[in-house]
């Protein structure tokens, strides 16, 4: 099959196996070029196939020599349809980890379910005994609640008042104004049910009850704060409510782990192009401007650079820099005043006509297609490739 990108709205419905493998390889190369991490040794990554979860898994495995189990929800290929990008990423990671002599095992299924939690616990007991870290990096539009069977759908909306601001169709480059109506009470609750911390708490509770957590165990989940410009749609919106809940869960989990000297962290990460963030209105335009400014200042990072700093300067540093509320802040460069001061005037002036000079829309687009394995150097996109790629032993 000759595989080309096919987009529908903000998603790409095809993925390239060799391009995704190259994307994973580049992240591995980055980690191998850094000072090795004094990090975890047996790690479970929930949401391990793309974005921040994949990068964290690569950092743990190739930076700290960790055995890793990855949980994700991805689609394998059929004869006529490519697999999802996360499937190809996980396959590439697994191959490279095993070649490097590292333990790697994968579970594909709904992480919100009791069944996948049970399966994961059995696998840990069988192969690793105990684990010393869980990275919780799910981003999902829905969750079927394991106890009630109710399906909750998350929405990205403001709360109380409609919010009007600029947005971009990053495929066409058209900048327009969008008004997003406020969420209903039910939509707020549903978003908290999907993206809040209840499931994270359930995972840690299940793992702890099964006796598979090492003493000194750590777990981390990811959040975002961002500048005032995005607050109505993010921090003060439905997703922000979910992140508030996630933050409360970190405290509840830490309390629960006291007897094993364990701790749960929230890491506030940089805004980056991922499958999850490209679905948020307004944010892609902000990211395009942010990329331009951070690249000009030599401060730009992708998921893998962030993941390395998360481990080196945050989770496994002797003196981690935490903010007043105890969060790890690897969004520190994004939030630097000289970066944010550059965003404001660009945001006010930006239009369809000047978008390429005031923002790094090209960089945004190329990162977006890279998520699906397109546009990587060294990959021949004209050649016939087999879309069917196995992940040996995936459960
Ligand atoms: P992503 O879309 O790249 O990754 C999501 C992962 O979750 C994938 O591995 C996917 O397979 C998995 N997943 C989704 N539903 C699942 C399910 N039901 N069962 C099992 N696996 C499932 O997302 P991302 O942007 O890396 O986001 C990860 C976390 O980081 C989220 O909490 C997000 O809010 C946070 N974050 C993202 C950004 C950003 O700019 N992208 C910034 C700060 C924080």
């Amino acid at each position: 099959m000759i595989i080309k990108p096919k987009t529908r709205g903000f998603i790409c419905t095809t993925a390239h196996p060799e391009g995704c493998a190259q994307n994973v390889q580049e992240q591995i190369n980055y980690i191998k070029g850094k000072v090795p991490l004094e990090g975890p040794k047996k790690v479970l990554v929930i949401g391990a196939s793309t974005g921040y979860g994949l990068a964290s898994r690569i950092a743990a495995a190739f930076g700290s020599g960790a055995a890793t189990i990855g949980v994700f929800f991805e689609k394998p290929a059929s004869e006529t349809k490519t697999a999802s990008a996360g499937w190809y990423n996980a396959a590439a990671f697994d191959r490279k980890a095993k070649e490097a002599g590292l333990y790697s095992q994968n579970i594909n299924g709904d992480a919100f379910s009791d069944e996948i939690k049970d399966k994961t616990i059995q696998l840990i007991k069988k192969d690793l005994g105990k684990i010393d870290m869980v990275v919780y990096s799910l981003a999902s539009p829905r969750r079927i609640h394991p106890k009630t069977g109710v399906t909750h759908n998350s929405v990205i909306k403001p709360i109380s008042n409609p919010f009007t601001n600029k947005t971009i169709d990053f495929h066409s480059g058209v900048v327009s104004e969008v008004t997003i109506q406020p969420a209903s009470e039910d939509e707020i609750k549903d978003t908290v049910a999907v993206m809040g911390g209840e499931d994270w708490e359930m995972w840690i509770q299940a793992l702890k009850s099964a006796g598979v957590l090492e003493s000194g165990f750590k777990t981390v989940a990811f959040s975002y704060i961002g500048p005032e410009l995005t607050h109505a749609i993010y921090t003060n919106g439905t997703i922000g409510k979910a992140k508030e809940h996630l933050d409360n869960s970190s405290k509840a989990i830490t309390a629960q782990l006291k007897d094993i000297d364990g701790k749960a962290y929230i890491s506030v990460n940089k805004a980056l192009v991922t499958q999850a963030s490209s679905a948020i209105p307004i944010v892609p335009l902000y990211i395009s401007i942010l990329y331009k400014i951070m690249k000009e200042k030599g401060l730009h990072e992708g998921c893998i650079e962030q993941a390395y700093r998360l481990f080196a300067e945050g989770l496994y540093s002797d003196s981690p820099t935490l903010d007043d509320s105890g969060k790890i802040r690897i969004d520190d460069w994004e939030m630097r005043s000289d970066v944010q001061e550059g965003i404001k005037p660009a945001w006010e002036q930006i239009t369809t006509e000047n978008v390429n000079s005031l923002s790094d829309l090209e960089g945004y687009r190329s990162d977006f297609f890279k998520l699906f394995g397109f546009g990587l150097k060294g990959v021949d996109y004209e050649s016939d490739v087999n879309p069917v790629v196995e992940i040996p032993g995936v459960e």
Side-chain angles (χ1 to χ4, degrees):
M1 191 189 274
I2 293 172
I3 305 171
K4 300 279 172 182
K6 268 194 207 137
T7 54
R8 200 179 58 221
F10 49 75
I11 58 164
C12 182
T13 56
T14 52
H16 200 283
E18 289 174 11
C20 289
Q22 181 60 23
N23 194 5
V24 168
Q25 186 61 53
E26 285 178 7
Q27 296 188 57
I28 294 172
N29 294 347
Y30 174 81
I31 292 296
K32 281 185 164 169
K34 303 293 286 182
V35 176
L37 294 161
E38 294 288 326
K41 293 295 168 212
K42 290 183 268 182
V43 181
L44 168 63
V45 182
I46 303 163
S49 52
T50 55
Y52 275 114
L54 172 66
S56 304
R57 188 179 191 185
I58 292 171
F62 290 91
S64 179
T68 60
I69 293 176
V71 175
F72 44 78
F73 209 5
E74 301 292 348
K75 277 205 188 78
S78 66
E79 290 302 320
T80 52
K81 210 170 175 307
T82 72
S84 57
W87 179 273
Y88 291 140
N89 291 340
F93 172 87
D94 189 71
R95 208 167 45 242
K96 290 292 162 186
K98 284 176 177 149
E99 276 172 23
L102 296 164
Y103 172 93
S104 158
Q105 191 52 270
N106 301 284
I107 295 179
N108 187 34
D110 182 6
F112 295 126
S113 69
D114 288 343
E115 183 206 338
I116 291 296
K117 291 182 178 73
D118 291 344
K119 240 187 200 178
T120 308
I121 288 167
Q122 294 320 316
L123 182 63
I124 295 170
K125 282 187 171 166
K126 177 167 79 73
D127 288 355
L128 302 178
K130 290 188 177 197
I131 52 173
D132 56 5
M133 144 134 263
V134 168
V135 177
Y136 186 85
S137 186
L138 292 185
S140 175
R142 75 188 59 82
R143 171 180 176 219
I144 301 173
H145 197 285
K147 308 299 172 207
T148 63
V150 170
T151 301
H152 301 279
N153 291 297
S154 69
V155 297
I156 311 267
K157 290 189 178 181
I159 291 177
S160 302
N161 297 307
F163 178 56
T164 301
N165 213 325
K166 289 179 179 176
T167 194
I168 191 166
D169 173 335
F170 59 85
H171 294 301
S172 65
V174 172
V175 177
S176 61
E177 207 168 71
V178 66
T179 297
I180 306 150
Q181 295 303 323
S184 67
E185 279 308 314
D186 281 347
E187 286 177 319
I188 299 170
K189 277 192 206 135
D190 281 333
T191 306
V192 171
V194 180
M195 291 298 288
E198 188 189 23
D199 181 62
W200 185 24
E201 291 186 51
M202 284 179 168
W203 266 101
I204 303 301
Q205 212 156 36
L207 293 162
K208 183 158 187 260
S209 306
V212 297
L213 300 184
E214 292 277 12
S215 157
F217 166 84
K218 292 179 196 215
T219 182
V220 65
F222 301 131
S223 189
Y224 180 68
I225 296 176
E228 186 124 18
L229 175 61
T230 60
H231 279 184
I233 190 68
Y234 201 100
T235 300
N236 298 335
T238 48
I239 183 79
K241 278 276 171 246
K243 294 298 181 189
E244 218 173 278
H245 188 276
L246 193 73
D247 190 21
N248 290 336
S249 294
S250 74
K251 296 181 180 101
I253 294 171
T254 295
Q256 204 190 106
L257 295 175
K258 219 170 166 191
D259 56 329
I260 58 163
D261 197 21
K263 192 164 164 54
Y265 292 87
I266 295 288
S267 171
V268 184
N269 297 358
K270 178 192 179 189
L272 279 176
V273 182
T274 64
Q275 293 186 43
S277 70
S278 52
I280 306 176
I282 298 158
V283 167
L285 183 58
Y286 165 72
I287 292 181
S288 303
I289 300 173
L290 180 73
Y291 271 27
K292 178 172 165 40
I293 294 170
M294 292 189 81
K295 282 179 185 175
E296 279 169 3
K297 292 183 181 288
L299 293 174
H300 181 66
E301 293 176 302
C303 288
I304 196 66
E305 289 86 354
Q306 286 263 290
Y308 182 80
R309 284 213 288 138
L310 168 70
F311 284 92
E313 295 172 19
L315 293 167
Y316 292 91
S317 149
D318 291 338
S319 50
T321 30
L322 303 176
D323 71 10
D324 294 345
S325 61
K327 296 186 185 73
I328 296 169
R329 299 298 297 264
I330 50 171
D331 66 338
D332 48 351
W333 298 353
E334 170 181 354
M335 298 309 287
R336 258 172 53 165
S337 56
D338 59 327
V339 171
Q340 288 302 325
E341 273 158 20
I343 306 258
K344 277 185 211 144
W347 186 267
E348 276 157 27
Q349 290 166 39
I350 204 159
T351 61
T352 308
E353 288 66 42
N354 62 22
V355 68
N356 286 309
S357 60
L358 290 181
S359 82
D360 181 26
L361 179 58
E362 255 334 292
Y364 187 100
R365 268 193 205 125
S366 106
D367 272 13
F368 176 80
F369 284 108
K370 227 172 141 180
L371 297 176
F372 303 91
F374 296 108
L376 283 111
K377 283 197 193 93
V379 177
D380 179 1
Y381 290 99
E382 300 308 324
S383 80
D384 206 351
V385 284
N386 183 359
V388 180
V389 175
E390 303 293 336
I391 307 177
V394 68
E395 296 202 25

